[in-house]
Amino acid sequence: QVQLVESGGGLVQAGGSLRLSCAASGRPLSMYHMGWFRQAPGKEREFVAGISRTGGLTYYTNSVKGRFTISRDNAKNSVALQMNSLNTEDTAVYYCAADENSGGTYYYEFDYWGQGTQVTVSS
């Protein structure tokens, strides 16, 4: 199975940017459809962005379209989430997830998860 480790979270002011990274080990990342999810305090885990095995297909939840960009580098076994124009509603723990099948937008469609990285956006 694959192991996932996120990094790049932190504290940023509204309007700023952060780039999250997800490093994979154990199996080639190219075997997996990848996604980013987030969970704010008291809320359910929600889908943020997804990317197909080759990177040819990307998709986003409406609230981040035009601000966030998901990408992958299978040669480096990594996935990234570039987040621009951050606002306080983006504050959450962000999780990287891998799916052995065709991915999706629900957390139960993904098989493997990282430990999460905290993103805090101040006003």
Side-chain angles (χ1 to χ4, degrees):
Q1 63 183 27
V2 65
Q3 291 80 45
L4 305 171
V5 178
E6 302 95 336
S7 62
L11 174 64
V12 63
Q13 288 189 326
S17 298
L18 279 176
R19 183 177 179 86
L20 305 183
S21 295
C22 174
S25 62
R27 298 184 79 181
L29 197 66
S30 58
M31 297 177 64
Y32 302 94
H33 188 111
M34 299 298 296
W36 285 95
F37 288 74
R38 65 186 179 186
Q39 188 165 18
K43 295 187 177 181
E44 294 186 352
R45 190 168 300 189
E46 66 168 349
F47 170 79
V48 175
I51 188 167
S52 61
R53 288 177 178 77
T54 63
L57 172 68
T58 59
Y59 52 104
Y60 304 88
T61 192
N62 285 338
S63 63
V64 308
K65 283 181 182 177
R67 301 189 298 123
F68 290 13
T69 302
I70 187 172
S71 61
R72 68 189 297 159
D73 186 338
N74 287 340
K76 295 183 178 180
N77 252 20
S78 66
V79 177
L81 185 68
Q82 176 67 42
M83 306 186 295
N84 299 328
S85 302
L86 286 160
N87 59 60
T88 56
E89 294 181 348
D90 296 316
T91 295
V93 177
Y94 283 71
Y95 297 90
C96 174
D99 178 41
E100 295 179 327
N101 298 305
S102 56
T105 60
Y106 295 97
Y107 70 89
Y108 53 76
E109 295 178 293
F110 287 77
D111 304 300
Y112 305 102
W113 294 83
Q115 83 289 348
T117 186
Q118 176 70 48
V119 172
T120 303
V121 184
S122 63
S123 59

